[in-house]
Amino acid sequence: MAFWSSTSVFTSKVPRKILFMFTLSLSVTYLFYSLMSCYNSLQFPLQENYVYQGRLVTEETTFVTLREKLYSASQGFTEFTEAERTTSVSILQEHAEAEQRTVEWIRTQASPTKTAAAAAAAYRTTALEREHQEFSTTDSELRVNCTSDYGEKKLPQAIIIGVKKGGTRALLEALRVHPDVRAVGNEPHFFDRNYEKGLDWYRDLMPSTLEGQITMEKTPSYFVTNHAPKRIHSMARDIKLIIVVRNPVTRAISDYTQTLSKKPEIPTFEVLAFKNRTLGLIDASWSALRIGIYALHLESWMQYFPLSQMHFVSGERLIVDPAGEMAKVQDFLGLKRIVTDKHFYFNKTKGFPCLKKPEDSSTPRCLGKSKGRTHPKIDPDVIRRLHKFYKPFNMMFYQMTGQNFEWELEEDSETRSSQD
């Protein structure tokens, strides 16, 4: 009975219409703010939610206080003073105005007009300025290199520096299958042709990377460029260098084949390879032959980088066992072994592996027409003399790298086949 008596006293003091309007207002307001909270969390960054949520909590606290007062009144308040009733009415009016402002604000944010865009931009700018005042240590540097497609443009942490016609393109394409590798498709030629453009220009060529991803590029001519080791070392002393090497005789013929496809009028391979064929004098100044003196070029790189920062890939094994070579490269770069034999398919027509996705049943993706060209027929005597020319340099290269690439076995097999 005490409960009903207190309730009747309360309802007599406060008209039922006011109570109904008050309760309805609370419900509608709570619904609007809930919708605003969801909309705001989707529309703006996290730091903006904090500003909005702080205001929301303050107003919800007021609602809780009023609910507690009403609940306490229903449990035994005998009086609800005129001042309290006036305060309640004023609060209702304030929240009604707040609801109206809320509706207008939502309409403004959802509108595709220029005014809405300008308002949103102004709001974001203000929030960013506040954040910049609080966290101004490195934000300016990050914004310079950050891009709209997520991530940050960085200077490369690994470079494939050589060698031309050794298999660098095949290696790069296989590495790009790895989710933690981002690489430039074209050869930047920064350290040999475009160095005067500066590191900012070079960085801008790189793809954006996320945390944990490696930025890479490949320019095979770096390996034979005299000033490239010093320039790369000045950029990053701890950079990782990858060199794909191939039997220098086969590499020279492949190099000549590429040039011949572009300039059919050039002399024959035999003419270019010798200063005097009768005397057997090899023309080592010819770039196709000079590139294959690997020991000579490696000596320049070892003046700036230890062998622990270099990895040598066998161009021959990259063809016959691409997964095995890729496992070593991934280990060298500190990557998980994701690129495996499931990613390769040997193309008998081209004579080298093609890439495919393990879950994809479509045709494997092979390198372009410029790869796997048929070599011109070279006089076996010329090939034998070139093997003899390269042999001491190969031995020196094996000793410097601690790896035996067994190119002499190819020479022996070619000799036996020619005798047969």
Side-chain angles (χ1 to χ4, degrees):
M1 292 296 294
F3 172 77
W4 291 111
S5 62
S6 62
T7 304
S8 60
V9 171
F10 178 74
T11 54
S12 65
K13 294 288 183 179
V14 183
R16 291 185 178 182
K17 288 184 177 180
I18 294 178
L19 286 177
F20 175 77
M21 290 176 62
F22 185 75
T23 306
L24 180 63
S25 176
L26 287 179
S27 301
V28 172
T29 303
Y30 180 79
L31 176 61
F32 264 98
Y33 277 104
S34 298
L35 292 173
M36 283 177 61
S37 178
C38 294
Y39 178 83
N40 192 51
S41 64
L42 294 173
Q43 185 71 14
F44 297 106
L46 187 60
Q47 66 267 21
E48 296 176 13
N49 280 342
Y50 294 151
V51 177
Y52 174 76
Q53 287 173 2
R55 184 183 45 160
L56 183 61
V57 168
T58 303
E59 293 178 352
E60 282 186 346
T61 305
T62 304
F63 299 158
V64 171
T65 303
L66 290 173
R67 287 193 198 98
E68 289 176 352
K69 181 176 284 291
L70 286 174
Y71 181 76
S72 300
S74 66
Q75 293 297 317
F77 270 168
T78 58
E79 288 185 329
F80 195 93
T81 65
E82 185 66 28
E84 289 174 323
R85 187 163 57 251
T86 303
T87 302
S88 300
V89 172
S90 64
I91 290 174
L92 286 172
Q93 292 174 346
E94 289 178 2
H95 284 291
E97 293 174 358
E99 290 172 15
Q100 183 62 31
R101 288 195 300 270
T102 298
V103 173
E104 293 176 357
W105 182 84
I106 292 176
R107 288 174 180 171
T108 301
Q109 294 297 322
S111 174
T113 63
K114 294 183 179 179
T115 304
Y123 183 84
R124 286 192 290 270
T125 302
T126 304
L128 286 173
E129 287 175 354
R130 282 198 306 270
E131 184 183 2
H132 181 71
Q133 292 174 356
E134 297 175 0
F135 309 100
S136 60
T137 51
T138 57
D139 286 357
S140 60
E141 296 179 7
L142 290 175
R143 279 196 290 272
V144 168
N145 297 327
C146 288
T147 57
S148 59
D149 58 343
Y150 304 106
E152 179 185 353
K153 289 193 173 187
K154 301 177 183 177
L155 293 170
Q157 295 95 53
I159 302 178
I160 300 175
I161 59 172
V163 296
K164 181 183 178 183
K165 306 309 296 179
T168 57
R169 172 56 62 181
L171 176 64
L172 182 69
E173 292 303 315
L175 278 171
R176 292 174 77 178
V177 174
H178 200 292
D180 291 335
V181 173
R182 296 297 309 279
V184 185
N186 297 325
E187 297 174 4
H189 284 280
F190 175 66
F191 296 103
D192 58 348
R193 301 178 190 172
N194 299 303
Y195 194 66
E196 72 284 350
K197 294 183 179 179
L199 288 175
D200 289 338
W201 176 87
Y202 184 47
R203 182 191 289 111
D204 195 52
L205 297 178
M206 300 299 133
S208 299
T209 53
L210 301 174
E211 188 67 29
Q213 290 183 318
I214 295 177
T215 304
M216 290 188 65
E217 70 116 318
K218 78 108 178 168
T219 304
S221 56
Y222 290 162
F223 187 64
V224 297
T225 302
N226 292 333
H227 39 262
K230 183 178 180 180
R231 289 175 174 179
I232 294 178
H233 184 264
S234 66
M235 179 193 72
R237 296 182 177 183
D238 59 346
I239 197 166
K240 294 184 177 182
L241 307 172
I242 300 176
I243 305 100
V244 187
V245 291
R246 184 181 181 187
N247 185 319
V249 177
T250 311
R251 196 221 67 82
I253 298 173
S254 180
D255 197 339
Y256 172 79
T257 304
Q258 183 182 50
T259 307
L260 183 66
S261 67
K262 299 175 182 178
K263 301 178 180 179
E265 71 280 2
I266 63 172
T268 63
F269 181 88
E270 291 84 352
V271 171
L272 294 172
F274 291 92
K275 287 183 178 179
N276 189 315
R277 185 173 178 181
T278 304
L279 298 176
L281 296 177
I282 303 293
D283 188 359
S285 63
W286 183 33
S287 62
L289 296 183
R290 185 173 176 80
I291 292 174
I293 309 176
Y294 302 139
L296 175 67
H297 308 300
L298 180 59
E299 192 174 13
S300 300
W301 290 90
M302 292 182 71
Q303 292 177 16
Y304 293 92
F305 298 98
L307 279 175
S308 59
Q309 287 177 230
M310 302 183 201
H311 180 72
F312 299 91
V313 177
S314 168
E316 287 81 16
R317 287 197 287 271
L318 189 60
I319 294 174
V320 297
D321 182 21
E325 286 299 301
M326 284 303 301
K328 297 174 187 176
V329 173
Q330 289 173 97
D331 291 345
F332 172 69
L333 294 174
L335 301 170
K336 289 182 67 176
R337 291 188 178 185
I338 292 179
V339 184
T340 63
D341 54 355
K342 296 178 181 179
H343 291 85
F344 298 99
Y345 166 81
F346 189 80
N347 187 308
K348 295 181 180 180
T349 304
K350 280 191 169 285
F352 52 75
C354 297
L355 285 167
K356 66 175 182 179
K357 294 180 180 179
E359 68 281 1
D360 194 357
S361 59
S362 61
T363 305
R365 182 169 57 87
C366 295
L367 298 178
K369 295 180 180 179
S370 62
K371 309 299 178 182
R373 296 186 185 95
T374 302
H375 291 178
K377 217 171 178 185
I378 308 296
D379 187 340
D381 181 62
V382 173
I383 294 177
R384 181 184 59 79
R385 291 193 184 192
L386 287 176
H387 277 301
K388 186 177 181 180
F389 167 76
Y390 279 120
K391 187 170 184 176
F393 298 112
N394 291 344
M395 295 297 111
M396 192 182 304
F397 183 65
Y398 297 167
Q399 188 176 9
M400 294 170 73
T401 60
Q403 292 180 237
N404 185 351
F405 293 91
E406 301 180 338
W407 292 320
E408 288 65 39
L409 296 179
E410 293 183 38
E411 178 187 359
D412 294 339
S413 63
E414 288 174 2
T415 303
R416 285 194 297 271
S417 62
S418 64
Q419 290 174 347
D420 293 343

